[in-house]
Amino acid sequence: MKYILLFSIALTILAGCENMEEEISWDTKNIPAKAVVEGSITSDTCYQRIRLTQTADYFLNGPTPRITGADVIVSDGSHTFIFKESDTVPGDYYSTEMFAGIPGNTYSLNVNLKEPIDGISTLTANDQMIQGFIIDSAKVYVYENPFVAFSDEEDKDSTIIVFYMNGNQPKNIVNYYLIQMYRNGVPYFEKLGDMEMMNDEYSEDPEETELVFYYIGDLLVKDTISIELTSVSKEYYEYVRKFKDLLIPPDPLGFSGPPADAVGNINGGKQIGFFYTGQKSRSTAIAQEPENIKETVN
Amino acid sequence: MNSKLRWPVLLALFCLVLQLQAQKITLNGYVKDVENGEALIGANIVVKGTSTGAITNTYGYYSLSLKPGPYTIVYSYVGFSETEKKVNLQADQTHSIELTPSAEMLNEVVVKSEMKNNNIVSSKMGIEKLDSKTINKIPVLFGEADVIKTIKLLPGVVSTGELSSNISIRGGGRDQNMLLLDEATVYNNSHLLGLFSVFNNDAIKNVQLYKGIIPAQYGGRLASLIDVRMKEGNTKKFTGVGSIGLLTSRLTVEAPIVKDKGAILISGRRTYMDLFTRAMHKMSPERAPNEIPLYFYDLNAKANYIINENNRLYLSGYFGRDVFNSSVGDDASMSTDWGNYTGTLRWNHIVNRKLFVNTSLIASKYDYSLDSKLTLRDDEDEVHIETSWIAWLKDYTLKSDFGYFLNPRNTIKFGISGTYHDFNVGDVSSLVDTSHYKFQIPKYYCYEWSAYLSNEQTFEKFSLEYGLRASLFQNVGKAKYYTLEDYEVADTLTASGGKVYNQYWGLEPRFSVSYIINSSNSVKFGYARTNQYIQVASNSESGTPIDTWMPSSKNIKPQISDQVSLGYFMNLNENSIETSVEIYYKYMQNQIEFKEFAQTYLNEFIEEELRFGVGRAYGVEFMIKKQSGKLNGWVSYTYSRSERKIKDIQETGWYRSPYDVPHNLSVVANYDITKRLSLSGNFVLTSGKPFNAPTGRFEYGDEIGIYYGEKNSSRYPMYHRLDLGLEWKNKPHKRYNSSWTLSVYNVYNRKNATIIYFKNVKDNQYMTAAYRVSLLPIIPTIAYNFNF
């Protein structure tokens, strides 16, 4: 009986440790293609871009079809900017002149499709550019991450950086930011899903002259780190938050809520994607060891 | 009739009726188990040769009013030998009886003669009864007999997830079931994230499940009442029962306080997988890299005492805790724990032979806490950071329930109840070196009152139960509350301590009737309205340990359900086989669902995240049950649908609720091969639950985004599983008995999907795939059981 007990214990533990995730085949329901808009107007002086694509079968395993031949214009109420399709990248439409978005202005997108998609011929959206934090100076400190043992990828979560930014931003409004970093000149976040986000809703700085950003990663002392803040509207911030949520697989115990579509601002949310505006500010600093742990934490 | 004579004649007739009533003699008493003194609930007391009789109540008490004269009274209960007692009723008498368990349970002839047709005659429908012996026989996960896992095998009941102890009953939400343990509400019935329920079967006497036509005595939840009663304790002798298994061990002891007058019961259990894995990790970190620092323990305790023939006291309690601890050296640690506490003090009082009252004072609490400690250092200094997040829901209830046994054909019940709810949804505090930081979600306080009146009435061919429940819900200060417009906070207000700043009330009629075609066949119909004033504040379908509850408010109206049921009941083979088919339709108002991407944790304005609409559920349930003999068990099949219509969730009208599981088949069988060897098995087959699966992809921000479309339009694959169990009883020892139980969960290792999700394949920008996680493969377990 003793051996039966030990055998059962071993079998139970082994059964518990078995790899329980596997890839399966799945039949998706075919639905008519929908138009997708990915467009932005930023405060950088450049040829601004609007990208038009379509949805496709989930298991397409290739680029989704582009929408070509559309008429694309953006206006801010006083100027109208015409966009022309790229000769080299179908579906990408660039402004015919370089311009920079101006904080406070509302930009409206209007797209007329060459052929209707799912019965839709026109795509519209608008977004107001929000004045955000203008960085004057910055410092970056690097700490060892004491919780690294709890991480699934210890080599990627080995440090915590704290980015202090001095500057100023409009008082008495809540600002929302997307954050891109550059490590020694190379973009740190490759895709939208990797980018960090923050808002100053709970900032304790009444003068709004300081912004602090924390990140757990693998940045090291003496790395040259550049931070790029993009001030966006609350609507776009929420869209990106939801979009990023959907990229994370749900927990196997069913603790998270059910997934759903991230609703954008194209045709009042009835079409897919988002047309957003972003005011940018950048700064660069060399990562240092902390001067004094108490001062840093406080 | 001359108008002047009308009133005197009526008065004389009334007095005559009273006189005739007054000429009835009342026989009352208790029916108990001779071996341990446990009250037998639902025992039959019948005048031999007639259909006149009574049934014992929840405390084993009966009262029967008869005309003066000699009678033979027959006392019976399933699994016990009948006892007859001759009485000569000339004055009120008390006869308490102790029945002997039937030694010949395998003798089908003996047992059949004892079978009663209560399920035919009673007007109750949508009710299932389980006792601890039945629950013990069901092979389940890790061999731990489990009340909830057994309930999942009954018609109309679906699980919200394989690992979950939460259930949906007749298409209702997981928070629409009232779980009571000795009348105390249990808010979170899960241990170990759903692997076990909080109910220790060794401490349980029986369980009653009401699936919608809930008696007027109960309320507060739309879908069901699960009434779990603890054993009272052995008033005859010191006994114990226990088990040593691979994951858990448990021990229950019972003893008389004073023989035949009072007893005490204590029952405890603990898991120890954490001890195993910690020891293995220390011995060999390479071979056993993973500790599992998660365990639970719980304790049930009960005492009861008969003060005199008219007064009895009961005190029962439950305390359970799940604990998760993890640390990295001395510098960082995280811990979380959650659990329930319940306490019930009850006083049974016989006011007179016809009037029985139970008064209960009840307290229950569900709470959880998350704590972390961190030390940051540099060469010169160090900083300590401690963070704590706690939440709780506390209830305090005072209630009285009266049973008036007017005559053999009428049992009147009435009562009142008041509950005080204390919600602490989230209290976060941080200590950074010497600086304190605090964030508190405003607390809520509420009163929930109710009163009811009902009657159970029997005729030759009919039995009826009808009643009315009135409920009142009040939000009281001290509170900070807010109003919404278009789902955004429009105004925030405060209420001073004790001030009622919002209230709702409702009338909840209940009605059921049985038309008795003959002693083996009946048709039943029922209607019930129920109101629900509190609901879980979580969008997880399975439930989590950190779920909190929220009350109705200015922005959240009470949920209301109206259900009708029609059933046909037929017994075969002298009542040893019960069959039934029931159809039901339920319409629910003010159904609540969280909007997509809702922020449910530590959200001061959580009501902004809610959307409201209606729901409907309908279905047909088939059941065949054999309760006696060498081969016993049941087969149940349910076809049901559950839908919701919430405009701001889905514009296109009705959509599948998360609990829409059209097909649900359960087969439960136990076979006593010999007196010492028995085999049991259960097979379940259900439709997959609905979920959101991708209907397309799109590109955005160099990512592949998923397009879902219509809510819950896809379905998981069919779920099916076979469990087997074998019990071998060792030869009886002078002082104790023992047995071995071998269980195998998921015998053919079916990879049922715990979750299906979709994501990009690593290292390939465009490739996506579907993944299935199956957490419960074939799991054999062995346990050693003993009793003394």
Side-chain angles (χ1 to χ4, degrees):
Chain A
M1 191 55 71
K2 177 174 74 174
Y3 295 105
I4 294 174
L5 191 60
L6 288 171
F7 173 75
S8 299
I9 291 171
L11 203 57
T12 302
I13 294 172
L14 281 171
C17 299
E18 184 188 344
N19 185 358
M20 295 153 182
E21 180 188 273
E22 59 180 329
E23 190 177 331
I24 57 172
S25 63
W26 187 266
D27 289 327
T28 50
K29 296 182 178 188
N30 291 324
I31 60 158
K34 289 181 171 298
V36 181
V37 177
E38 180 186 348
S40 62
I41 305 295
T42 72
S43 58
D44 289 343
T45 302
C46 63
Y47 295 103
Q48 309 283 351
R49 187 190 79 178
I50 307 291
R51 174 173 284 176
L52 302 178
T53 57
Q54 295 185 56
T55 60
D57 182 80
Y58 181 70
F59 294 109
L60 176 67
N61 295 334
T64 53
R66 298 300 183 105
I67 297 175
T68 61
D71 296 322
V72 180
I73 59 170
V74 172
S75 75
D76 64 3
S78 53
H79 294 96
T80 298
F81 302 95
I82 295 176
F83 283 64
K84 189 169 169 288
E85 188 170 2
S86 162
D87 294 329
T88 51
V89 183
D92 278 5
Y93 297 76
Y94 289 90
S95 56
T96 51
E97 57 182 288
M98 291 175 74
F99 71 95
I102 299 170
N105 283 6
T106 297
Y107 292 87
S108 300
L109 170 72
N110 194 291
V111 176
N112 286 314
L113 301 173
K114 194 168 137 187
E115 284 169 13
I117 296 173
D118 195 25
I120 303 295
S121 300
T122 305
L123 305 167
T124 60
N126 58 67
D127 197 45
Q128 184 182 30
M129 186 174 287
I130 308 292
Q131 174 67 56
F133 196 88
I134 305 294
I135 308 171
D136 292 331
S137 64
K139 285 182 191 171
V140 185
Y141 297 105
V142 179
Y143 299 86
E144 281 183 27
N145 179 7
F147 288 113
V148 65
F150 296 116
S151 167
D152 290 336
E153 296 178 290
E154 289 190 23
D155 54 337
K156 290 190 177 172
D157 293 337
S158 55
T159 59
I160 301 175
I161 67 152
V162 183
F163 212 107
Y164 291 95
M165 293 165 275
N166 290 303
N168 58 75
Q169 67 179 356
K171 292 194 176 64
N172 302 318
I173 66 167
V174 178
N175 281 99
Y176 300 88
Y177 300 100
L178 300 187
I179 297 172
Q180 171 64 284
M181 288 198 300
Y182 296 81
R183 178 191 203 174
N184 303 324
V186 176
Y188 194 75
F189 303 125
E190 292 174 359
K191 300 186 279 192
L192 180 63
D194 302 325
M195 288 178 71
E196 287 294 305
M197 305 167 64
M198 66 179 282
N199 64 69
D200 62 2
E201 187 175 352
Y202 297 109
S203 167
E204 293 183 347
D205 174 17
E207 296 304 314
E208 312 219 31
T209 57
E210 187 178 75
L211 214 54
V212 182
F213 168 62
Y214 302 86
Y215 181 72
I216 297 176
D218 60 355
L219 296 159
L220 301 171
V221 172
K222 295 186 187 168
D223 278 344
T224 299
I225 301 174
S226 300
I227 193 166
E228 177 186 277
L229 290 181
T230 304
S231 168
V232 298
S233 63
K234 183 180 178 186
E235 290 72 28
Y236 186 58
Y237 182 90
E238 287 297 314
Y239 178 78
V240 174
R241 178 181 71 81
K242 293 169 188 174
F243 186 82
K244 280 161 61 79
D245 267 354
L246 292 174
L247 299 173
I248 303 169
D251 68 272
L253 299 178
F255 286 173
S256 51
D261 293 318
V263 175
N265 69 346
I266 310 299
N267 287 16
K270 290 186 166 60
Q271 298 299 311
I272 300 170
F274 211 103
F275 168 70
Y276 79 94
T277 57
Q279 180 264 319
K280 291 185 185 286
S281 181
R282 299 173 178 87
S283 184
T284 299
I286 295 175
Q288 322 170 31
E289 281 183 3
E291 288 170 349
N292 179 281
I293 187 74
K294 280 195 186 233
E295 279 186 22
T296 304
V297 169
N298 288 328
Chain B
M1 183 186 288
N2 186 317
S3 62
K4 283 187 186 171
L5 290 176
R6 183 185 303 155
W7 289 112
V9 167
L10 286 172
L11 185 60
L13 281 171
F14 182 65
C15 290
L16 180 62
V17 167
L18 283 181
Q19 184 67 15
L20 286 170
Q21 287 286 97
Q23 285 181 356
K24 292 250 174 112
I25 308 296
T26 301
L27 176 68
N28 71 321
Y30 289 87
V31 180
K32 296 191 210 179
D33 183 335
V34 69
E35 291 195 342
N36 53 30
E38 288 278 347
L40 297 178
I41 303 169
N44 287 287
I45 303 96
V46 176
V47 178
K48 191 170 183 177
T50 75
S51 60
T52 300
I55 292 177
T56 55
N57 69 6
T58 315
Y59 300 96
Y61 178 81
Y62 76 94
S63 172
L64 182 59
S65 295
L66 302 166
K67 289 181 189 169
Y71 298 96
T72 300
I73 308 295
V74 181
Y75 298 84
S76 63
Y77 190 68
V78 172
F80 288 73
S81 300
E82 268 186 15
T83 296
E84 291 186 2
K85 186 160 184 70
K86 290 188 190 317
V87 296
N88 188 0
L89 293 182
Q90 300 301 328
D92 293 339
Q93 293 183 28
T94 298
H95 281 289
S96 291
I97 294 289
E98 291 185 340
L99 298 182
T100 305
S102 173
E104 296 293 330
M105 281 301 292
L106 297 178
N107 184 334
E108 297 208 22
V109 173
V110 171
V111 176
K112 263 190 240 174
S113 69
E114 297 168 359
M115 303 307 299
K116 297 299 170 191
N117 63 346
N118 286 345
N119 66 313
I120 300 294
V121 171
S122 165
S123 62
K124 288 187 172 30
M125 54 189 310
I127 180 171
E128 305 287 348
K129 295 179 187 181
L130 298 168
D131 58 38
S132 64
K133 283 182 190 163
T134 304
I135 297 168
N136 250 338
K137 288 184 184 175
I138 309 285
V140 287
L141 187 60
F142 300 119
E144 182 80 7
D146 191 291
V147 167
I148 299 297
K149 288 188 168 39
T150 304
I151 288 176
K152 286 184 188 182
L153 300 169
L154 297 172
V157 182
V158 298
S159 173
T160 60
E162 184 168 29
L163 276 187
S164 173
S165 281
N166 287 301
I167 49 180
S168 162
I169 295 181
R170 289 191 172 175
R174 61 180 176 87
D175 61 344
Q176 294 178 347
N177 307 309
M178 171 73 84
L179 274 78
L180 299 179
L181 177 63
D182 274 5
E183 297 190 283
T185 305
V186 177
Y187 281 100
N188 190 317
N189 70 348
S190 297
H191 275 315
L192 283 193
L193 309 176
L195 281 179
F196 304 93
S197 77
V198 299
F199 301 110
N200 179 350
N201 194 51
D202 288 344
I204 303 300
K205 178 154 72 178
N206 66 11
V207 179
Q208 292 201 104
L209 166 65
Y210 297 86
K211 292 183 288 188
I213 310 296
I214 301 171
Q217 185 177 356
Y218 301 101
R221 300 289 186 275
L222 297 195
S224 76
L225 165 69
I226 300 172
D227 187 8
V228 181
R229 299 277 169 167
M230 282 174 58
K231 291 177 181 168
E232 286 149 22
N234 195 323
T235 59
K236 310 284 183 181
K237 58 183 177 177
F238 175 73
T239 60
V241 63
S243 173
I244 302 170
L246 294 181
L247 267 198
T248 66
S249 285
R250 55 183 196 274
L251 177 65
T252 301
V253 292
E254 306 174 44
I257 299 173
V258 175
K259 195 166 186 282
D260 292 325
K261 285 203 81 168
I264 188 164
L265 174 148
I266 299 174
S267 180
R269 59 180 176 167
R270 192 205 193 274
T271 54
Y272 34 72
M273 182 56 81
D274 59 309
L275 302 175
F276 270 144
T277 58
R278 195 173 301 156
M280 287 169 65
H281 175 71
K282 276 187 180 160
M283 283 191 314
S284 180
E286 298 78 30
R287 286 187 190 173
N290 298 315
E291 289 186 51
I292 304 178
L294 178 61
Y295 65 95
F296 82 83
Y297 57 91
D298 62 26
L299 184 75
N300 288 269
K302 188 162 181 175
N304 74 86
Y305 189 71
I306 301 171
I307 300 168
N308 54 44
E309 69 171 17
N310 292 331
N311 294 280
R312 296 169 182 232
L313 278 181
Y314 302 83
L315 179 63
S316 54
Y318 167 87
F319 168 73
R321 214 80 198 145
D322 282 68
V323 181
F324 176 87
N325 279 322
S326 194
S327 60
V328 179
D330 296 326
D331 284 348
S333 67
M334 286 199 296
S335 68
T336 181
D337 61 280
W338 61 91
N340 298 279
Y341 308 78
T342 71
T344 309
L345 175 64
R346 283 178 289 178
W347 169 37
N348 287 176
H349 177 57
I350 299 173
V351 179
N352 59 50
R353 290 175 189 278
K354 289 192 177 191
L355 184 60
F356 177 99
V357 57
N358 175 69
T359 299
S360 300
L361 180 63
I362 306 164
S364 78
K365 179 182 178 186
Y366 178 76
D367 73 342
Y368 64 81
S369 71
L370 293 89
D371 299 288
S372 68
K373 290 183 184 171
L374 172 65
T375 300
L376 297 175
R377 301 174 200 277
D378 61 20
D379 291 336
E380 296 172 2
D381 223 329
E382 61 183 38
V383 173
H384 302 286
I385 303 173
E386 295 180 20
T387 306
S388 172
W389 170 8
I390 60 172
W392 70 66
L393 168 53
K394 295 183 201 171
D395 282 1
Y396 303 98
T397 301
L398 180 62
K399 61 198 287 276
S400 276
D401 296 293
F402 295 79
Y404 183 61
F405 302 90
L406 178 64
N407 55 48
R409 294 197 181 279
N410 288 276
T411 303
I412 298 171
K413 293 181 183 174
F414 56 98
I416 53 170
S417 166
T419 298
Y420 176 69
H421 298 293
D422 171 352
F423 297 81
N424 180 7
V425 177
D427 185 347
V428 183
S429 59
S430 251
L431 176 64
V432 180
D433 225 16
T434 55
S435 304
H436 287 264
Y437 302 90
K438 201 164 167 62
F439 173 68
Q440 166 83 62
I441 303 283
K443 296 181 184 178
Y444 301 108
Y445 307 98
C446 317
Y447 287 109
E448 198 170 337
W449 310 95
S450 65
Y452 69 93
L453 174 65
S454 69
N455 187 25
E456 289 177 43
Q457 191 168 10
T458 55
F459 298 92
E460 193 67 39
K461 282 291 211 178
F462 289 92
S463 63
L464 303 162
E465 184 170 351
Y466 48 90
L468 184 66
R469 180 181 180 83
S471 56
L472 170 66
F473 181 84
Q474 297 175 313
N475 299 98
V476 299
K478 187 177 173 181
K480 234 166 84 168
Y481 62 100
Y482 50 94
T483 56
L484 300 177
E485 262 177 42
D486 292 330
Y487 307 120
E488 293 200 358
V489 174
D491 202 4
T492 54
L493 305 102
T494 56
S496 55
K499 182 183 175 196
V500 176
Y501 62 90
N502 182 61
Q503 67 181 30
Y504 296 103
W505 68 278
L507 292 176
E508 303 172 35
R510 314 278 170 92
F511 173 78
S512 57
V513 58
S514 172
Y515 171 64
I516 304 158
I517 300 169
N518 53 46
S519 62
S520 304
N521 293 268
S522 65
V523 175
K524 301 187 191 182
F525 171 79
Y527 164 76
R529 166 168 277 212
T530 45
N531 287 11
Q532 180 165 340
Y533 299 103
I534 67 174
Q535 39 274 320
V536 92
S538 165
N539 57 359
S540 160
E541 282 148 22
S542 297
T544 81
I546 56 173
D547 281 351
T548 53
W549 290 68
M550 57 187 172
S552 290
S553 67
K554 281 202 177 290
N555 307 306
I556 304 176
K557 291 181 188 163
Q559 300 183 61
I560 301 172
S561 165
D562 291 284
Q563 180 176 173
V564 291
S565 302
L566 180 67
Y568 175 68
F569 295 73
M570 180 171 74
N571 286 359
L572 304 166
N573 212 18
E574 295 183 36
N575 297 315
S576 66
I577 298 175
E578 296 179 1
T579 71
S580 64
V581 54
E582 281 190 55
I583 58 174
Y584 67 89
Y585 178 84
K586 190 158 63 171
Y587 186 78
M588 295 163 280
Q589 302 174 55
N590 304 326
Q591 294 302 281
I592 301 168
E593 199 154 324
F594 280 91
K595 71 176 191 187
E596 268 105 35
F597 304 98
Q599 307 262 40
T600 58
Y601 295 114
L602 294 178
N603 183 350
E604 186 179 347
F605 302 110
I606 194 171
E607 294 173 15
E608 287 182 323
E609 313 292 309
L610 304 176
R611 301 293 182 265
F612 305 96
V614 294
R616 65 185 180 194
Y618 50 90
V620 55
E621 297 169 4
F622 299 89
M623 174 75 139
I624 301 175
K625 184 166 36 176
K626 183 174 185 283
Q627 297 188 90
S628 60
K630 280 191 175 191
L631 176 65
N632 55 76
W634 67 83
V635 177
S636 75
Y637 170 73
T638 305
Y639 176 79
S640 65
R641 303 308 305 265
S642 172
E643 297 168 314
R644 290 195 181 150
K645 187 157 86 172
I646 300 178
K647 183 171 158 292
D648 294 310
I649 299 289
Q650 180 148 300
E651 298 287 331
T652 54
W654 292 100
Y655 60 91
R656 295 170 180 165
S657 87
Y659 313 109
D660 180 54
V661 177
H663 301 284
N664 184 0
L665 171 72
S666 295
V667 180
V668 177
N670 305 300
Y671 184 66
D672 296 314
I673 302 169
T674 66
K675 280 188 185 179
R676 290 169 56 193
L677 184 64
S678 60
L679 177 68
S680 54
N682 38 271
F683 175 72
V684 294
L685 173 73
T686 68
S687 304
K689 63 181 183 179
F691 79 118
N692 293 346
T695 56
R697 67 154 64 184
F698 64 98
E699 289 179 38
Y700 194 92
D702 295 320
E703 300 274 12
I704 301 296
I706 300 177
Y707 182 70
Y708 290 101
E710 200 176 305
K711 188 173 172 71
N712 290 340
S713 57
S714 295
R715 215 177 260 291
Y716 275 32
M718 292 284 277
Y719 176 101
H720 53 89
R721 187 191 87 232
L722 173 68
D723 309 323
L724 293 175
L726 192 71
E727 185 183 17
W728 167 259
K729 290 178 186 164
N730 296 322
K731 282 185 182 166
H733 188 275
K734 203 163 58 171
R735 292 192 181 158
Y736 67 90
N737 297 312
S738 64
S739 66
W740 288 94
T741 309
L742 175 65
S743 303
V744 183
Y745 181 89
N746 195 3
V747 168
Y748 51 84
N749 201 26
R750 161 81 176 166
K751 290 185 179 176
N752 290 305
T754 306
I755 196 156
I756 291 175
Y757 65 91
F758 305 82
K759 68 172 185 179
N760 277 49
V761 171
K762 242 182 181 177
D763 303 325
N764 185 317
Q765 183 187 356
Y766 292 111
M767 201 158 182
T768 53
Y771 295 87
R772 176 187 61 211
V773 175
S774 306
L775 286 179
L776 296 178
I778 178 171
I779 301 178
T781 315
I782 192 161
Y784 176 72
N785 314 295
F786 56 89
N787 64 77
F788 52 88

